[in-house]
Amino acid sequence: QNDSTNYFNALEGGMSPYRLVDHTADIAVDIWGKDEQDFFNESIRALFFLLTDIQLENLHLFKRLQRKKIKLDLSSFDEGYIDFINHIIRFVDIYAVLAVGVDVKMRNNKASFTVHFIKDSSSNIKREIKAATRHNFRVERNGKEIKTRITFDI
């Protein structure tokens, strides 16, 4: 197993809600959550891991947090999810921040996200991610549980 796999397995006693997937050209990740709030937070955690080598347990060391709001139409949850992830990637690129969490409010297929970022994070970003792609993308629901495999263009 590589370091990435070991790190993911170490989270939550080996039951991490996301894992890296071998992919020939880009990076793919399986992500799952017990509901929408959990799903979007685990997506942020997976993206954080892909961008930096900081252990999430060390987030308390960062004092400079900021919030940004994103509003999206989720009448097509799959498309809205890709849009959400690409918004986060653009914020990382433009503002040199790292997303560490999100609060989600959903009503009538409209979503309001309050994303929490670490400011001035450019020195912590170890990998550039250009975008989330639609290549082999799908979102599956089983009751409230949501899971996906998402591929990132690097």
Side-chain angles (χ1 to χ4, degrees), residues 72-89:
L72 293 172
D73 180 355
L74 290 183
S75 52
S76 168
F77 190 87
D78 293 20
E79 290 299 315
Y81 176 74
I82 291 281
D83 288 346
F84 170 78
I85 295 296
N86 283 328
H87 270 80
I88 302 301
I89 292 168

Side-chain angles (χ1 to χ4, degrees), residues 11-26:
L11 292 174
E12 297 185 24
M15 298 301 291
S16 176
Y18 53 89
R19 71 169 181 239
L20 290 176
V21 177
D22 288 333
H23 192 270
T24 55
D26 300 318

Side-chain angles (χ1 to χ4, degrees), residues 36 72-76 105-112:
E36 280 100 356
L72 293 172
D73 180 355
L74 290 183
S75 52
S76 168
K105 292 181 183 173
M106 296 182 66
R107 185 174 181 190
N108 299 331
N109 294 325
K110 303 284 185 209
S112 175

Side-chain angles (χ1 to χ4, degrees), residues 45-62:
R45 288 174 58 120
L47 192 55
F48 181 90
F49 175 77
L50 292 174
L51 288 166
T52 184
D53 58 3
I54 299 170
Q55 301 270 334
L56 287 173
E57 297 78 34
N58 294 327
L59 287 180
H60 68 279
L61 301 175
F62 294 92

Side-chain angles (χ1 to χ4, degrees), residues 40 59 68 126 132 138 150 154:
F40 282 99
L59 287 180
K68 293 197 180 291
K126 306 298 182 202
R138 67 188 181 283
I150 186 167
I154 57 172

